[in-house]
Amino acid sequence: GDLHPGNVLVKTVQVPVTPSLWQSLFSLAPSSDSSTTESEQSDETTTKHSIVFLDAGIAISLSPNDQKNLIDLFRAVIFNDGNRAGRLMVERAKHERCSQVEGCVDAFSEGIADIVSDFHDRRKEGLTLGAVRIGVLLSRVLDLCRIHGVEIDPAMASVVISTLVLEGLGRSLSPDLDLLHFAKPFVLGRGKV
């Protein structure tokens, strides 16, 4: 794919305002204000924005098991349980040599816990795209995986790459976006993509 800022558009469309059922019921009553005509009421519009990705060749479909693994990992990160996140990464890796070396799983999990803790320490500044450098944190995670022999599944690697690419876009569009506030509904299963 060729995902860079030149291939990301913000589409703006004017759409008619649709009155709610409640508003429709009460608009049948004669208006005491004769200066507002019916055509003026129906000409109301609102602006809707959508993001359009051109040539976004990064496409992956996660199996239900991969989805569960990703959600469990994100849940551990969001709830500041970095040690659990590290252990999940080792346990669920398709290939790893970390568990074969004494103390390696503990060292890896402690390293992940430090990264997750650094992420949560940013709360004082706010966990916004402007304050948190996800790319730097993910780079540290990948370094730990390399050092300790924990292989990242190709499907998960695609998620990491997409996250790195979209971080910059998100920062330029909404640097004040609170990451935890935005992510919790999805990780807890109440959000829709």
Side-chain angles (χ1 to χ4, degrees):
D2 189 24
L3 193 57
H4 59 78
N7 279 347
V8 179
L9 305 175
V10 177
K11 181 178 174 183
T12 305
V13 179
Q14 294 291 324
V15 294
V17 174
T18 307
S20 69
L21 177 61
W22 186 258
Q23 291 169 325
S24 297
L25 288 174
F26 284 103
S27 69
L28 294 175
S31 173
S32 61
D33 181 9
S34 59
S35 65
T36 306
T37 67
E38 201 172 298
S39 64
E40 286 174 336
Q41 291 173 352
S42 64
D43 287 341
E44 280 189 63
T45 61
T46 187
T47 304
K48 290 214 172 201
H49 302 282
S50 51
I51 297 176
V52 179
F53 296 104
L54 306 175
D55 193 18
I58 300 172
I60 190 77
S61 180
L62 296 177
S63 71
N65 189 52
D66 287 340
Q67 290 176 23
K68 180 187 180 325
N69 289 344
L70 186 64
I71 288 170
D72 289 347
L73 180 62
F74 280 169
R75 185 175 288 133
V77 170
I78 284 177
F79 289 115
N80 201 9
D81 191 352
N83 200 287
R84 176 166 168 68
R87 291 184 186 285
L88 285 171
M89 290 176 71
V90 173
E91 290 169 11
R92 297 180 181 178
K94 289 191 169 82
H95 304 285
E96 57 85 16
R97 62 179 187 274
C98 187
S99 62
Q100 299 166 6
V101 177
E102 189 176 330
C104 190
V105 173
D106 290 334
F108 178 78
S109 297
E110 288 171 17
I112 296 295
D114 288 343
I115 294 168
V116 170
S117 180
D118 287 350
F119 175 76
H120 281 275
D121 285 347
R122 305 280 179 150
R123 278 187 149 160
K124 298 168 192 117
E125 304 164 31
L127 280 174
T128 64
L129 281 173
V132 177
R133 300 290 186 229
I134 297 170
V136 172
L137 296 173
L138 287 174
S139 176
R140 289 174 56 197
V141 169
L142 293 175
D143 281 345
L144 272 176
C145 288
R146 180 184 49 77
I147 291 165
H148 294 282
V150 178
E151 186 177 299
I152 299 288
D153 182 86
M156 296 303 159
S158 292
V159 171
V160 169
I161 291 168
S162 298
T163 301
L164 293 174
V165 170
L166 294 175
E167 174 193 14
L169 173 66
R171 185 176 294 114
S172 66
L173 291 175
S174 184
D176 296 328
L177 176 75
D178 184 318
L179 297 170
L180 282 184
H181 177 75
F182 183 77
K184 272 186 183 176
F186 296 97
V187 172
L188 298 176
R190 294 189 299 256
K192 301 255 190 241
V193 179

